[in-house]
Amino acid sequence: DTGVSQNPRHKITKRGQNVTFRCDPISEHNRLYWYRQTLGQGPEFLTYFQNEAQLEKSRLLSDRFSAERPKGSFSTLEIQRTEQGDSAMYLCASRTLVYTGNNYGYTFGSGTRLTVV
Amino acid sequence: AQTVTQSQPEMSVQEAETVTLSCTYDTSENNYYLFWYKQPPSRQMILVIRQEAYKQQNATENRFSVNFQKAAKSFSLKISDSQLGDTAMYFCAFMKADRYAGGTSYGKLTFGQGTILTVHP
């Protein structure tokens, strides 16, 4: 169990450019979540996958955002035509339905910090 | 929809003392879980403690304990014998119980705004 891995850790981009983030979940976790966290705030849910199926998307996920999880393994989150308001930390978490310890299987990655200039 | 409110943006405490962080929530659900997460400056979210709504007994994990008042929809975290390593942002979070969540909200967490806790030597 190597944990949830997110790449890159930091991304600086110019307004209008496209960016893509990657999340590698714990291998046996079939559920994967994306959250967005702006400075000084709590994370907000964006979307979630069960295996390769995207089962829920938040209204926060505008048409410029798209997420995929091909083959139910890693996931990518793409933002097209970035805006300054997209600057935030993007957190990925994965989960199994086998309850381990007291965490109900939830493991977070360290996040990708996006800065749009 | 659920909401979680943390009304204390910042708290501070002296090392070895006790501090309580407040959290209130609003939901029409009867079956759910509540969590306290810690996010140190390194950013990875770490679970501190969790409480199932159906349990009347307050959860305890070493120096961390909660005061869960279901009727009042209150869920506070008490940290005893505070340590310098407890310095972090603390988030209260809500999750519908899996068995009752339905397919589209399975495991989604709703977070509060967070409380920055600083432990002073």
Side-chain angles (χ1 to χ4, degrees):
Chain A
D1 181 354
T2 57
V4 177
S5 176
Q6 290 190 248
N7 288 289
R9 292 290 300 272
H10 304 273
K11 178 71 176 179
I12 300 175
T13 190
K14 292 183 179 179
R15 189 174 52 185
Q17 297 293 306
N18 299 344
V19 293
T20 300
F21 312 138
R22 177 177 170 126
C23 172
D24 287 274
I26 293 173
S27 58
E28 62 267 26
H29 286 191
N30 62 345
R31 294 174 187 271
L32 186 147
Y33 306 80
W34 285 99
Y35 291 84
R36 181 172 71 186
Q37 184 178 17
T38 53
L39 198 61
Q41 299 297 313
E44 296 173 292
F45 171 80
L46 291 179
T47 189
Y48 117 87
F49 292 84
Q50 179 176 338
N51 299 313
E52 66 276 9
Q54 187 174 20
L55 295 186
E56 186 172 357
K57 293 197 298 185
S58 162
R59 293 177 183 177
L60 294 174
L61 219 61
S62 74
D63 292 344
R64 296 184 297 105
F65 288 71
S66 62
E68 295 181 341
R69 191 182 182 197
K71 302 179 183 179
S73 55
F74 70 92
S75 176
T76 58
L77 178 66
E78 180 183 16
I79 309 175
Q80 296 182 327
R81 305 181 303 281
T82 52
E83 302 173 354
Q84 288 188 322
D86 297 332
S87 295
M89 176 78 76
Y90 291 84
L91 294 170
C92 177
S94 69
R95 184 169 182 245
T96 176
L97 292 185
V98 176
Y99 296 155
T100 57
N102 63 358
N103 195 20
Y104 293 91
Y106 238 101
T107 302
F108 281 89
S110 295
T112 294
R113 179 168 294 285
L114 172 67
T115 302
V116 182
V117 298
Chain B
Q2 288 66 232
T3 60
V4 178
T5 303
Q6 293 177 250
S7 58
Q8 304 155 314
E10 295 186 42
M11 294 281 285
S12 64
V13 64
Q14 292 295 125
E15 197 174 9
E17 294 187 346
T18 296
V19 64
T20 299
L21 307 185
S22 300
C23 173
T24 58
Y25 59 95
D26 190 23
T27 184
S28 58
E29 303 291 332
N30 193 46
N31 298 287
Y32 51 87
Y33 313 128
L34 295 166
F35 303 88
W36 279 97
Y37 278 92
K38 169 184 178 182
Q39 190 176 40
S42 64
R43 301 174 304 182
Q44 187 170 21
M45 202 77 73
I46 302 167
L47 179 72
V48 175
I49 197 167
R50 68 96 175 88
Q51 174 84 40
E52 290 94 340
Y54 67 86
K55 290 186 176 179
Q56 292 186 339
Q57 186 174 7
N58 289 324
T60 299
E61 287 288 334
N62 301 314
R63 299 183 295 108
F64 300 89
S65 62
V66 299
N67 183 2
F68 173 49
Q69 301 291 327
K70 190 173 183 180
K73 295 180 181 173
S74 170
F75 183 61
S76 62
L77 173 69
K78 186 172 81 172
I79 305 174
S80 304
D81 186 25
S82 296
Q83 300 176 359
L84 297 177
D86 295 333
T87 293
M89 180 84 119
Y90 286 80
F91 292 100
C92 178
F94 172 102
M95 181 198 296
K96 288 182 186 178
D98 290 326
R99 186 177 305 175
Y100 305 95
T104 59
S105 299
Y106 221 103
K108 178 174 68 176
L109 288 166
T110 301
F111 288 88
Q113 306 91 322
T115 297
I116 299 172
L117 176 66
T118 304
V119 181
H120 298 286

